[in-house]
């Protein structure tokens, strides 16, 4: 997973990921009054990884790696997995991904251009 230079869409799936990253705030920017879009370069890569069927461990590992390579940060693996789990649960609850353990396709997120399945 690599950061994205393209601003993320504003659909519900993107909002779920954005909110999860902002709650986590791994560099403390949001808590310090920084810009709300601080982690927007991670939104689409997280969605793409989640849509590929990645579980919390895989997504968490990808988050940890991108933080290390692109942000110069080291975060505990368990912390990254917890954030990934939170984001995946939000995406599943909003039906932006199929329920875990199923093969049914999730609905298309109208207006985002991001098809899950």
């Amino acid at each position: 997973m690599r950061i994205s230079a393209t601003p993320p869409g504003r659909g519900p799936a993107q909002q779920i990921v954005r909110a999860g990253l902002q709650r986590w705030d791994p560099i403390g920017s949001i808590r310090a009054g920084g810009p709300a879009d601080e982690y927007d370069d991670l939104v689409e890569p997280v969605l793409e990884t989640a849509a590929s069927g990645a579980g919390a461990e895989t997504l968490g590992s990808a988050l940890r790696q991108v933080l290390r390579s692109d942000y110069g940060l080291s975060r505990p693996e368990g912390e990254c997995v917890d954030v990934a789990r939170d984001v995946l649960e939000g995406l599943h609850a909003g039906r932006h991904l199929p329920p875990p353990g199923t093969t049914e396709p999730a609905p298309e997120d109208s207006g985002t251009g991001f098809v899950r399945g």
Side-chain angles (χ1 to χ4, degrees):
M1 183 170 79
R2 301 287 300 168
I3 61 173
S4 173
T6 306
R10 299 288 179 201
Q14 287 87 353
Q15 294 300 328
I16 289 167
V17 174
R18 182 178 291 109
L21 294 170
Q22 288 174 342
R23 278 192 303 275
W24 181 28
D25 194 17
I27 64 175
S29 173
I30 302 225
R31 285 185 296 274
D37 66 353
E38 182 67 41
Y39 306 110
D40 278 4
D41 57 350
L42 293 172
V43 171
E44 293 298 335
V46 165
L47 278 172
E48 289 169 10
T49 302
S52 76
E57 291 77 18
T58 300
L59 181 55
S61 181
L63 275 170
R64 187 169 190 246
Q65 177 58 37
V66 79
L67 286 174
R68 185 180 313 130
S69 64
D70 295 344
Y71 284 76
L73 297 174
S74 178
R75 304 303 299 185
E77 183 80 22
E79 179 182 310
C80 296
V81 170
D82 287 346
V83 170
R85 187 172 292 113
D86 177 55
V87 166
L88 289 171
E89 286 173 359
L91 290 170
H92 288 297
R95 297 200 36 83
H96 303 292
L97 291 175
T102 67
T103 57
E104 77 178 65
E108 182 172 339
D109 202 12
S110 177
T112 66
F114 183 74
V115 179
R116 287 139 207 93

